[in-house]
């Protein structure tokens, strides 16, 4: 499927092969291979859910673009773009998505907000997630290299109902963090309230 995707919407100023090269130089081979699998999984989910295939390809390929940057680089980017100072309390696991999107825009010239939000929210989810964001969030979780317990159920649920997949991943990620007594990024709790508990907020904050 991958070779049949040719970029025609000027979302990225180059070919898919050029984008792949730009990503490969920033990632170790193992992570690069994960990224290719996420792209392929995102394309399948996009096809199933009427999501733009070119956006799914680009977002899948760039979702971990900044994963191997130094903490110093992330802090500089948070300051450069005057992002939420609370981000400084967190680390690579949160930064590579939420802040990583800024690297994607600044260095790869990708300005499409839907793609950038898919990068931003691929680890934490978000209260409001577009179909593309849901596709990338789930593709990262269920790509064929993933072997965590319950992954087959996650794949089955996601293939039947993308939004149910989002709820499944969110619930399991939060349960895992709590079991580890690990800190939970506030955005992850907001994602849980919306997607798992079905809470509708009267006020946005
Ligand atoms: Fe990631
Ligand atoms: Fe990933």
């Amino acid at each position: 499927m991958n070779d049949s995707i040719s970029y025609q919407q000027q979302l990225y100023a180059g070919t898919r092969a050029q984008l792949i090269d730009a990503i490969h130089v920033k990632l170790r081979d193992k992570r690069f291979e994960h990224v290719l699998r996420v792209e392929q999984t995102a394309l399948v989910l996009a096809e199933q859910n009427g999501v733009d295939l070119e956006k799914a390809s680009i977002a899948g390929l760039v979702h971990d673009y900044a994963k191997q940057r130094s903490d110093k680089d992330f802090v500089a980017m948070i300051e450069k773009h005057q992002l939420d100072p609370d981000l400084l309390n967190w680390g690579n696991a949160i930064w590579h998505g939420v802040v990583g999107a800024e690297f994607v825009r600044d260095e790869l010239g990708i300005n499409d907000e839907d793609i950038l939000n898919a990068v931003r929210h691929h680890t934490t989810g978000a209260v409001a997630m577009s179909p593309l964001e849901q596709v990338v969030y789930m593709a990262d979780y269920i790509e064929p290299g993933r072997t965590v317990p319950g992954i087959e159920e996650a794949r089955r649920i996601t293939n039947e109902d993308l939004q149910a997949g989002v709820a499944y991943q969110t619930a399991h990620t939060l349960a895992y963090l709590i079991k580890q007594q690990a800190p939970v990024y506030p955005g992850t709790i907001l994602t849980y309230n919306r997607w798992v508990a079905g809470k509708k907020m009267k006020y946005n904050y």
Side-chain angles (χ1 to χ4, degrees):
M1 178 186 272
N2 50 359
D3 295 329
S4 66
I5 284 281
S6 67
Y7 293 171
Q8 294 169 338
Q9 299 177 46
Q10 298 301 313
L11 298 163
Y12 171 68
T15 63
R16 176 177 173 276
Q18 287 169 326
L19 181 57
I20 285 174
D21 286 346
I23 290 158
H24 199 172
V25 296
K26 299 292 186 187
L27 300 177
R28 282 187 279 276
D29 284 353
K30 223 176 146 188
R31 178 155 292 115
F32 174 69
E33 285 156 19
H34 157 72
V35 158
L36 293 180
R37 292 192 299 269
V38 170
E39 183 211 17
Q40 293 305 302
T41 307
L43 285 169
V44 172
L45 293 176
E47 181 100 56
Q48 289 171 359
N49 291 279
V51 169
D52 186 281
L53 295 180
E54 189 173 327
K55 287 191 183 191
S57 167
I58 295 171
L61 288 174
V62 303
H63 83 281
D64 275 342
Y65 176 70
K67 180 78 179 171
Q68 290 173 210
R69 301 306 169 97
S70 69
D71 289 0
K72 213 171 131 240
D73 285 355
F74 280 114
V75 168
M77 195 59 108
I78 290 165
E79 285 164 0
K80 177 182 173 192
H81 288 281
Q82 300 185 313
L83 304 181
D84 182 354
D86 175 59
L87 282 166
L88 296 168
N89 293 317
W90 300 86
N92 182 283
I94 300 301
W95 290 342
H96 85 278
V98 177
V99 187
E102 308 302 330
F103 289 84
V104 169
R105 175 166 34 211
D106 287 4
E107 297 180 10
L108 299 175
I110 294 168
N111 293 301
D112 182 88
E113 277 301 317
D114 202 13
I115 293 173
L116 296 175
N117 280 332
V119 176
R120 278 186 189 107
H121 299 146
H122 83 266
T123 307
T124 62
V127 173
M129 273 195 278
S130 72
L132 178 70
E133 291 177 64
Q134 296 172 41
V135 160
V136 174
Y137 183 70
M138 291 319 301
D140 190 36
Y141 192 66
I142 66 168
E143 60 94 343
R146 300 290 196 196
T147 55
V148 297
I151 193 68
E152 284 306 331
E153 194 187 359
R155 290 186 180 119
R156 182 182 56 74
I157 290 169
T158 306
N159 282 309
E160 275 172 19
D161 180 342
L162 181 63
Q163 297 192 20
V166 172
Y168 181 97
Q169 176 182 174
T170 303
H172 282 76
T173 299
L174 187 58
Y176 173 81
L177 292 171
I178 287 169
K179 203 171 162 207
Q180 304 289 316
Q181 298 193 346
V184 179
Y185 182 68
T188 300
I189 295 174
L190 299 181
T191 306
Y192 168 85
N193 285 340
R194 157 66 179 85
W195 290 90
V196 183
K199 175 133 183 74
K200 297 232 188 324
M201 294 293 182
K202 198 167 174 189
Y203 300 105
N204 290 318
Y205 60 91

